[in-house]
Amino acid sequence: GEDSRSFHVSIQGTPPSISSTEEIPIITAVAGGQLLLECPEGAEPHPSIEWQREGSLLQEDARRQVLAQGRFLQLRAVAAADGGEYSCRATSAPGDSGPRVRVQVHG
């Protein structure tokens, strides 16, 4: 069977260009801009969703905030170091990470 996921991205400034490689969506962000990633975990509410970057649990700070019980990840003042593969999953779900998206930062 097939499984598809959608990512909705909002970047202030230059519109993003999205392409697909190895079924992992690639999002191009502009350095200094803002990036909003959505975790498409389905319609049912989850008690908690965690975000990972390059396989490590993402820690929130002044620039990186998890919103709406984890449904969104907001990155402010995007820098080259923010590039990489992001994934999200419900903490109540068994198994490895859920949907993935790769972020590339230009500028």
Side-chain angles (χ1 to χ4, degrees):
E2 292 185 358
D3 184 22
S4 64
R5 301 283 189 174
S6 297
F7 285 91
H8 301 283
V9 178
S10 173
I11 298 179
Q12 296 177 347
T14 307
S17 61
I18 299 177
S19 59
S20 182
T21 304
E22 300 175 358
E23 299 183 8
I24 299 177
I26 296 177
I27 296 170
T28 302
V30 178
Q34 178 173 286
L35 182 64
L36 187 68
L37 303 178
E38 180 179 358
C39 185
E41 280 293 334
E44 61 183 279
H46 291 286
S48 180
I49 294 175
E50 65 181 22
W51 284 85
Q52 295 182 347
R53 180 183 168 278
E54 297 293 338
S56 298
L57 186 63
L58 190 74
Q59 299 296 325
E60 290 185 76
D61 57 28
R63 294 190 314 107
R64 301 184 290 192
Q65 289 188 307
V66 176
L67 309 173
Q69 287 79 50
R71 185 168 179 203
F72 297 98
L73 174 63
Q74 182 180 57
L75 302 175
R76 292 191 174 120
V78 174
D82 293 317
E85 189 174 291
Y86 289 79
S87 63
C88 60
R89 72 177 185 94
T91 55
S92 58
D96 294 330
S97 63
R100 295 178 295 169
V101 62
R102 182 169 292 280
V103 173
Q104 292 181 340
V105 180
H106 294 282

